[in-house]
Amino acid sequence: MNKQTLAKHLEIHLKQLYRDRTVISVAGLEEIKMGWETELYTFEVDSRKNGDHIREHRVIRVFQGDGAGHKSAKE
């Protein structure tokens, strides 16, 4: 999955997760490690809650291939 597509999927997920926030955006998505079954990325989430700006630094681990959902659920 390319970075732009992953960032868009992250934004969609975060909007569902944080329904009390507005203007959620993902920026600075950078791959930090590519392994056999997973990839690690860092990124920043900018959002607003009650008018206050929130910036969070995050890490995501992406599982791929057969059984990815099962593998990620065990983590």
mmCIF file of all heavy atoms in Angstrom, residues 4-22:
data_model
loop_
_atom_site.group_PDB
_atom_site.id
_atom_site.type_symbol
_atom_site.label_atom_id
_atom_site.label_comp_id
_atom_site.label_asym_id
_atom_site.label_seq_id
_atom_site.Cartn_x
_atom_site.Cartn_y
_atom_site.Cartn_z
ATOM 1 N N GLN A 4 0.142 7.497 0.441
ATOM 2 C CA GLN A 4 -1.043 8.336 0.301
ATOM 3 C C GLN A 4 -2.315 7.548 0.630
ATOM 4 O O GLN A 4 -3.198 8.031 1.336
ATOM 5 C CB GLN A 4 -1.119 8.910 -1.111
ATOM 6 C CG GLN A 4 -2.239 9.902 -1.302
ATOM 7 C CD GLN A 4 -2.218 10.505 -2.693
ATOM 8 O OE1 GLN A 4 -1.594 9.980 -3.610
ATOM 9 N NE2 GLN A 4 -2.910 11.606 -2.855
ATOM 10 N N THR A 5 -2.387 6.316 0.150
ATOM 11 C CA THR A 5 -3.543 5.467 0.420
ATOM 12 C C THR A 5 -3.616 5.125 1.900
ATOM 13 O O THR A 5 -4.687 5.176 2.513
ATOM 14 C CB THR A 5 -3.479 4.177 -0.426
ATOM 15 O OG1 THR A 5 -3.429 4.534 -1.807
ATOM 16 C CG2 THR A 5 -4.664 3.282 -0.158
ATOM 17 N N LEU A 6 -2.486 4.788 2.504
ATOM 18 C CA LEU A 6 -2.457 4.468 3.927
ATOM 19 C C LEU A 6 -2.891 5.668 4.759
ATOM 20 O O LEU A 6 -3.689 5.536 5.693
ATOM 21 C CB LEU A 6 -1.065 3.993 4.345
ATOM 22 C CG LEU A 6 -0.886 3.636 5.817
ATOM 23 C CD1 LEU A 6 -1.887 2.578 6.259
ATOM 24 C CD2 LEU A 6 0.543 3.172 6.077
ATOM 25 N N ALA A 7 -2.405 6.857 4.430
ATOM 26 C CA ALA A 7 -2.778 8.071 5.163
ATOM 27 C C ALA A 7 -4.282 8.311 5.078
ATOM 28 O O ALA A 7 -4.927 8.663 6.076
ATOM 29 C CB ALA A 7 -2.013 9.276 4.635
ATOM 30 N N LYS A 8 -4.869 8.102 3.907
ATOM 31 C CA LYS A 8 -6.314 8.288 3.733
ATOM 32 C C LYS A 8 -7.097 7.285 4.583
ATOM 33 O O LYS A 8 -8.066 7.633 5.251
ATOM 34 C CB LYS A 8 -6.685 8.163 2.261
ATOM 35 C CG LYS A 8 -8.136 8.447 1.969
ATOM 36 C CD LYS A 8 -8.613 9.791 2.487
ATOM 37 C CE LYS A 8 -8.305 10.888 1.531
ATOM 38 N NZ LYS A 8 -8.755 12.197 2.004
ATOM 39 N N HIS A 9 -6.653 6.025 4.608
ATOM 40 C CA HIS A 9 -7.305 5.009 5.430
ATOM 41 C C HIS A 9 -7.183 5.347 6.920
ATOM 42 O O HIS A 9 -8.133 5.140 7.684
ATOM 43 C CB HIS A 9 -6.716 3.621 5.163
ATOM 44 C CG HIS A 9 -7.183 3.005 3.892
ATOM 45 N ND1 HIS A 9 -8.445 2.505 3.720
ATOM 46 C CD2 HIS A 9 -6.543 2.819 2.709
ATOM 47 C CE1 HIS A 9 -8.570 2.028 2.496
ATOM 48 N NE2 HIS A 9 -7.424 2.208 1.863
ATOM 49 N N LEU A 10 -6.028 5.858 7.326
ATOM 50 C CA LEU A 10 -5.847 6.255 8.724
ATOM 51 C C LEU A 10 -6.800 7.385 9.102
ATOM 52 O O LEU A 10 -7.403 7.370 10.174
ATOM 53 C CB LEU A 10 -4.404 6.684 8.975
ATOM 54 C CG LEU A 10 -3.379 5.571 9.050
ATOM 55 C CD1 LEU A 10 -1.963 6.153 9.035
ATOM 56 C CD2 LEU A 10 -3.589 4.718 10.289
ATOM 57 N N GLU A 11 -6.946 8.368 8.218
ATOM 58 C CA GLU A 11 -7.864 9.476 8.488
ATOM 59 C C GLU A 11 -9.294 8.971 8.656
ATOM 60 O O GLU A 11 -10.002 9.386 9.576
ATOM 61 C CB GLU A 11 -7.797 10.513 7.368
ATOM 62 C CG GLU A 11 -6.564 11.368 7.421
ATOM 63 C CD GLU A 11 -6.492 12.392 6.305
ATOM 64 O OE1 GLU A 11 -7.465 12.515 5.506
ATOM 65 O OE2 GLU A 11 -5.467 13.075 6.207
ATOM 66 N N ILE A 12 -9.722 8.077 7.790
ATOM 67 C CA ILE A 12 -11.077 7.523 7.881
ATOM 68 C C ILE A 12 -11.257 6.796 9.211
ATOM 69 O O ILE A 12 -12.258 6.986 9.911
ATOM 70 C CB ILE A 12 -11.353 6.579 6.693
ATOM 71 C CG1 ILE A 12 -11.443 7.388 5.396
ATOM 72 C CG2 ILE A 12 -12.629 5.764 6.925
ATOM 73 C CD1 ILE A 12 -11.416 6.545 4.132
ATOM 74 N N HIS A 13 -10.283 5.976 9.577
ATOM 75 C CA HIS A 13 -10.359 5.237 10.842
ATOM 76 C C HIS A 13 -10.397 6.186 12.036
ATOM 77 O O HIS A 13 -11.202 6.010 12.963
ATOM 78 C CB HIS A 13 -9.180 4.276 10.958
ATOM 79 C CG HIS A 13 -9.115 3.574 12.268
ATOM 80 N ND1 HIS A 13 -10.003 2.584 12.635
ATOM 81 C CD2 HIS A 13 -8.289 3.752 13.332
ATOM 82 C CE1 HIS A 13 -9.722 2.173 13.861
ATOM 83 N NE2 HIS A 13 -8.683 2.859 14.301
ATOM 84 N N LEU A 14 -9.535 7.191 12.041
ATOM 85 C CA LEU A 14 -9.463 8.118 13.164
ATOM 86 C C LEU A 14 -10.741 8.944 13.298
ATOM 87 O O LEU A 14 -11.180 9.251 14.407
ATOM 88 C CB LEU A 14 -8.241 9.021 13.034
ATOM 89 C CG LEU A 14 -6.899 8.304 13.220
ATOM 90 C CD1 LEU A 14 -5.749 9.198 12.782
ATOM 91 C CD2 LEU A 14 -6.716 7.849 14.657
ATOM 92 N N LYS A 15 -11.373 9.301 12.182
ATOM 93 C CA LYS A 15 -12.638 10.039 12.233
ATOM 94 C C LYS A 15 -13.733 9.191 12.867
ATOM 95 O O LYS A 15 -14.589 9.709 13.577
ATOM 96 C CB LYS A 15 -13.045 10.489 10.833
ATOM 97 C CG LYS A 15 -12.209 11.639 10.330
ATOM 98 C CD LYS A 15 -12.548 12.018 8.902
ATOM 99 C CE LYS A 15 -11.615 13.124 8.430
ATOM 100 N NZ LYS A 15 -11.859 13.481 7.024
ATOM 101 N N GLN A 16 -13.703 7.884 12.632
ATOM 102 C CA GLN A 16 -14.677 6.987 13.262
ATOM 103 C C GLN A 16 -14.359 6.775 14.739
ATOM 104 O O GLN A 16 -15.252 6.682 15.563
ATOM 105 C CB GLN A 16 -14.696 5.645 12.536
ATOM 106 C CG GLN A 16 -15.235 5.731 11.134
ATOM 107 C CD GLN A 16 -15.070 4.431 10.360
ATOM 108 O OE1 GLN A 16 -14.373 3.516 10.785
ATOM 109 N NE2 GLN A 16 -15.705 4.372 9.196
ATOM 110 N N LEU A 17 -13.079 6.722 15.069
ATOM 111 C CA LEU A 17 -12.640 6.480 16.438
ATOM 112 C C LEU A 17 -12.867 7.699 17.332
ATOM 113 O O LEU A 17 -13.313 7.582 18.471
ATOM 114 C CB LEU A 17 -11.160 6.089 16.442
ATOM 115 C CG LEU A 17 -10.544 5.677 17.762
ATOM 116 C CD1 LEU A 17 -11.193 4.401 18.284
ATOM 117 C CD2 LEU A 17 -9.039 5.456 17.579
ATOM 118 N N TYR A 18 -12.543 8.888 16.820
ATOM 119 C CA TYR A 18 -12.637 10.130 17.591
ATOM 120 C C TYR A 18 -13.782 10.987 17.054
ATOM 121 O O TYR A 18 -13.569 12.021 16.441
ATOM 122 C CB TYR A 18 -11.323 10.906 17.530
ATOM 123 C CG TYR A 18 -10.152 10.173 18.116
ATOM 124 C CD1 TYR A 18 -9.080 9.802 17.319
ATOM 125 C CD2 TYR A 18 -10.125 9.858 19.463
ATOM 126 C CE1 TYR A 18 -7.989 9.117 17.865
ATOM 127 C CE2 TYR A 18 -9.040 9.180 20.011
ATOM 128 C CZ TYR A 18 -7.987 8.820 19.204
ATOM 129 O OH TYR A 18 -6.930 8.159 19.738
ATOM 130 N N ARG A 19 -14.989 10.575 17.326
ATOM 131 C CA ARG A 19 -16.166 11.298 16.818
ATOM 132 C C ARG A 19 -16.334 12.672 17.454
ATOM 133 O O ARG A 19 -17.057 13.518 16.930
ATOM 134 C CB ARG A 19 -17.414 10.464 17.021
ATOM 135 C CG ARG A 19 -17.386 9.188 16.202
ATOM 136 C CD ARG A 19 -18.702 8.449 16.281
ATOM 137 N NE ARG A 19 -18.647 7.183 15.584
ATOM 138 C CZ ARG A 19 -18.890 7.026 14.297
ATOM 139 N NH1 ARG A 19 -19.188 8.060 13.563
ATOM 140 N NH2 ARG A 19 -18.827 5.827 13.744
ATOM 141 N N ASP A 20 -15.661 12.925 18.578
ATOM 142 C CA ASP A 20 -15.758 14.219 19.249
ATOM 143 C C ASP A 20 -14.746 15.232 18.713
ATOM 144 O O ASP A 20 -14.682 16.355 19.180
ATOM 145 C CB ASP A 20 -15.578 14.056 20.760
ATOM 146 C CG ASP A 20 -14.227 13.477 21.148
ATOM 147 O OD1 ASP A 20 -13.574 12.839 20.294
ATOM 148 O OD2 ASP A 20 -13.828 13.655 22.318
ATOM 149 N N ARG A 21 -13.968 14.829 17.728
ATOM 150 C CA ARG A 21 -12.966 15.726 17.148
ATOM 151 C C ARG A 21 -13.363 16.124 15.730
ATOM 152 O O ARG A 21 -14.093 15.419 15.054
ATOM 153 C CB ARG A 21 -11.590 15.056 17.106
ATOM 154 C CG ARG A 21 -11.062 14.747 18.476
ATOM 155 C CD ARG A 21 -9.656 14.261 18.396
ATOM 156 N NE ARG A 21 -9.189 13.734 19.676
ATOM 157 C CZ ARG A 21 -7.961 13.309 19.883
ATOM 158 N NH1 ARG A 21 -7.072 13.318 18.905
ATOM 159 N NH2 ARG A 21 -7.617 12.852 21.059
ATOM 160 N N THR A 22 -12.843 17.264 15.306
ATOM 161 C CA THR A 22 -13.092 17.740 13.950
ATOM 162 C C THR A 22 -11.769 17.964 13.240
ATOM 163 O O THR A 22 -10.703 17.994 13.866
ATOM 164 C CB THR A 22 -13.895 19.056 13.967
ATOM 165 O OG1 THR A 22 -13.153 20.041 14.693
ATOM 166 C CG2 THR A 22 -15.250 18.864 14.612
#
